[in-house]
Amino acid sequence: MRNTMHTDENGKVTTTDEDGNQKEMEIILTFDDEKSGRKFVLFSDPADPDSQVYAYTYDEDGNMDALTSDDDWQMCEEVLAAFQDEEGLHENGSEK
């Protein structure tokens, strides 16, 4: 699935799907994988307290692609866990 994103200075991203539907999401973090040279963005739906974390790769034009490999998912889960530990957060984003 291909989406595009537009970010703002408040840590929000507006995603637009292939059908033109837009949704404002909250960026959890972005990071670059030095090994592959790809950029990743992790975000969730702030309107849904039980929202899952979405993980996509993206390019400089804001085009996003959903992750397809188990290795990419595992890497994103590890990066997210390290980020949450560093920030003192539980998996759902609430403070420990």
Side-chain angles (χ1 to χ4, degrees), residues 8-89:
D8 69 17
E9 62 278 352
N10 297 318
K12 303 285 185 199
V13 61
T14 302
T15 62
T16 305
D17 67 19
E18 294 166 336
D19 297 324
N21 300 312
Q22 292 187 337
K23 183 149 188 143
E24 185 175 89
M25 306 293 256
E26 186 170 288
I27 296 173
I28 299 168
L29 67 100
T30 61
F31 67 95
D32 297 342
D33 177 30
E34 293 176 14
K35 192 179 201 182
S36 69
R38 294 182 300 157
K39 298 177 182 191
F40 291 83
V41 60
L42 306 178
F43 56 88
S44 63
D45 183 351
D48 181 0
D50 298 322
S51 175
Q52 67 183 24
V53 173
Y54 299 92
Y56 283 77
T57 59
Y58 69 97
D59 64 23
E60 55 280 340
D61 295 325
N63 297 309
M64 300 189 317
D65 288 306
L67 301 186
T68 56
S69 90
D70 290 339
D71 290 341
D72 284 346
W73 272 111
Q74 183 176 356
M75 178 183 57
C76 286
E77 288 172 352
E78 290 171 2
V79 170
L80 179 60
F83 172 77
Q84 289 172 327
D85 284 346
E86 186 177 300
E87 295 294 315
L89 301 173

